[in-house]
Amino acid sequence: QVQLVESGGGLVQSGGSLRLSCAASGSIFSISAMGWFRHAPGKQRELVAVITSGGSTDYVDSVKGRFTISRDNAKNTVYLQMNSLKPEDTAVYYCNADLFPYGSSWNDYWGQGTQVTVSS
């Protein structure tokens, strides 16, 4: 059974930094794109950052220059380094992976979510 387990959320002051991690575990044949979404109260869920298996990245405009997504393919892990955090970054952050388990097919998998709160 495949799982995505996130860690690294918490409470930080405006201007501070946090690093989120998301490890995929289970019987995994291959992972394609991995990414981070966030969902703030009263807002739609949005894609924050995505990274392909080859390392190409893309970001939502509001985090460009502040957030960096990376991955360790040997560990099936994706990271999100968040610097210069702002109160508007407050949300539940979800890890997402396009993943192919052994004996199955490509499918979308989600982590349980981790709360990031930025105080002003």
Side-chain angles (χ1 to χ4, degrees):
Q1 184 176 353
V2 172
Q3 280 188 310
L4 299 184
V5 179
E6 299 149 351
S7 60
L11 172 64
V12 64
Q13 288 188 332
S14 182
S17 298
L18 284 174
R19 188 191 195 210
L20 305 183
S21 300
C22 172
S25 63
S27 185
I28 299 169
F29 175 68
S30 185
I31 303 177
S32 180
M34 302 183 82
W36 291 92
F37 288 74
R38 65 185 179 187
H39 191 190
K43 296 184 179 180
Q44 288 190 331
R45 183 181 65 184
E46 69 172 348
L47 174 62
V48 176
V50 62
I51 184 167
T52 68
S53 56
S56 297
T57 60
D58 199 10
Y59 300 88
V60 67
D61 285 346
S62 60
V63 308
K64 285 180 179 177
R66 299 188 298 122
F67 290 11
T68 302
I69 190 170
S70 61
R71 66 191 282 173
D72 184 334
N73 290 330
K75 295 181 179 180
N76 291 335
T77 299
V78 63
Y79 306 96
L80 186 67
Q81 178 66 45
M82 305 185 293
N83 298 328
S84 301
L85 282 160
K86 305 175 181 180
E88 50 264 42
D89 295 318
T90 295
V92 178
Y93 284 70
Y94 296 91
C95 171
N96 172 266
D98 192 16
L99 194 152
F100 194 138
Y102 279 103
S104 186
S105 59
W106 287 105
N107 216 328
D108 223 18
Y109 289 82
W110 292 87
Q112 79 282 4
T114 185
Q115 177 71 46
V116 171
T117 303
V118 184
S119 63
S120 57

